[in-house]
Amino acid sequence: MDRGLQDLRARLAEITDLNHAASVLSWDQMTYMPPGGAEARARQTAMLQRLAHEKATDPALGRLLDSLRPLENKLGYDSDDASLIRVARRNYDIVTKVPIEFAARMFLLQAESYEAWARARPKNDFKGVYPYLEKVMAYSREYSEFFPGYGHVMDPLISNFDYGVKARTIRKVFRELRAELVPLVRKIRDAEQVDDSCLHGKFPTDLQAKFNRLVAERMGYDFQRGRIDETPHPFTTNFSIGDVRITTRYHEDYLGAALFSTIHETGHALYEQGPDPALEGLLGTGAGMGIHESQSRLWENQVGRSMEFWKYFYPALRKAFPEKYKGVRLPDFYRAINRVEPSLIRVAADEVTYNLHIMIRFDLECALMEGKLSVKELPEAWNDRYLSDLGVSSKTYADGVMQDVHWFSAYIGYFQSYALGNLLSAQLYDAALKAKPAIRSEIATGKFSTLLGWLRKNVHRHGLKFTTDELLERCGVGGIEVGPFMDYLRKKYKGVYGL
Ligand code: ZN
């Protein structure tokens, strides 16, 4: 192997190992660490992040990447090695454009702002977060200035989560989506409501855990390379392709919470268990957050809330909770898990209204960043949009503008990826069904390997090699589109609500 390439692989492996070590500490912090560990843990994590940052911005790495240009040009664009050089250079260019002094200030603000939010939210105290949010916006604008020549001030921020995706594209897609979604939500609201009482009652955690484990395992989640733990906010994390963990949260009185969050996180985890082992430790996982979310949403909604999925799993669910489901027919259960209800809280939203929550956030975020909206005016603008788009309004900040952690952790340019994930889940599932028409009937018999195989071959195995657009192109999907998602919703909810 080329000496320079060998050197590059060694450097990238070190950076990845430091980042993964920090992830282990963070996973432990969220799951099992006693409160007394917090102070030392913050210090240890910061130290690992600092070391990784130093290695990622080492000028010697920049010189090495320059010297590898001829090799990169010689190799084909698709080759693992050329992709390694290309993606490493892209990352290097981004991190070195941001002065280290600014990165340190931003890191501190993230921590302070998050703490302020965690303190203020239970007290419904918007004043307590106001100065931090103003700073977050100012810093984010400053961040974009390190990338002169951008089309929209949001573009450099969006690129941190969905590389190459532009605010202009998202706005166009969202305009179209909103125009179609708002009338559908109204129609559903006017229809006869669905009874979901069969999802409420008493569901002992251990029985739920056993059933969820069965579902994750059948979907293809490899427990030899993963595990499920419990946290208030479910997430997926990986320390290597051989160790991809998920968490879930149990509500003893509501079956839907743990069940669908487990399916969702399993969708993320299948992606992270799926890259080609040759990319291990070098190119990581996930083309972008939008693609990542498309995987979790595909499994959670397109598959996990489908009739065929429950044709297979309903008998096992009945066995797990015989008293509860003795008298509940499958079609009634199916309607219950697909109930639509416009609500205030994004994370509890159904698949029809979910994107409206995201578009509200994205539009307000753009207005804040453009200076067209002040942080002071934000709560009122928030409420106006909830009233016009969803027909609901919140009496508290906690259930309104303060409900999500993202802005208060200085994650600007993140929210769109949730909606992109929903749209792409429909586009990718359509592509899979076109290539393998038997997928649906197989799911009804508990066979998920054809679907997973298609995702592995077309999405998972590439890891970070390709950008969102490049990956979609390769899947035969083209660009981000509203049509397939809306077709899916209209067809499905026509049945569920008799529209
Ligand atoms: Zn997710």
Side-chain angles (χ1 to χ4, degrees), residues 61-102:
L61 175 59
R63 287 192 296 273
L64 177 62
L65 286 164
D66 279 341
S67 75
L68 283 167
R69 260 182 217 279
L71 178 66
E72 183 192 354
N73 292 335
K74 203 171 80 190
L75 300 162
Y77 190 88
D78 288 10
S79 92
D80 284 353
D81 290 336
S83 302
L84 188 69
I85 300 167
R86 182 176 70 243
V87 175
R89 180 178 299 112
R90 190 175 84 199
N91 292 342
Y92 180 80
D93 287 347
I94 293 174
V95 286
T96 52
K97 276 206 175 85
V98 182
I100 192 138
E101 159 282 320
F102 176 85

Side-chain angles (χ1 to χ4, degrees), residues 327-339:
V328 181
R329 296 178 321 126
L330 174 58
D332 295 328
F333 178 79
Y334 169 74
R335 292 184 76 209
I337 58 170
N338 286 296
R339 178 183 147 105

Side-chain angles (χ1 to χ4, degrees), residues 264 268 293 296:
H264 180 99
H268 281 304
E293 195 67 8
S296 56

Side-chain angles (χ1 to χ4, degrees), residues 49 133 144 149 337 386 414 416 430 436 474 482:
Q49 281 166 338
L133 197 51
S144 287
I337 58 170
Y386 264 82
Y414 188 107
Q416 77 288 332
D430 280 359
K436 308 277 177 192
R474 264 152 224 276
V482 169

Side-chain angles (χ1 to χ4, degrees), residues 234 236 264-265 268 289 292-294 296-297 300 354 414 418:
T236 302
H264 180 99
E265 298 305 331
H268 281 304
M289 289 311 298
H292 225 306
E293 195 67 8
S294 80
S296 56
R297 287 296 188 172
E300 179 193 352
Y354 192 93
Y414 188 107
Y418 292 112

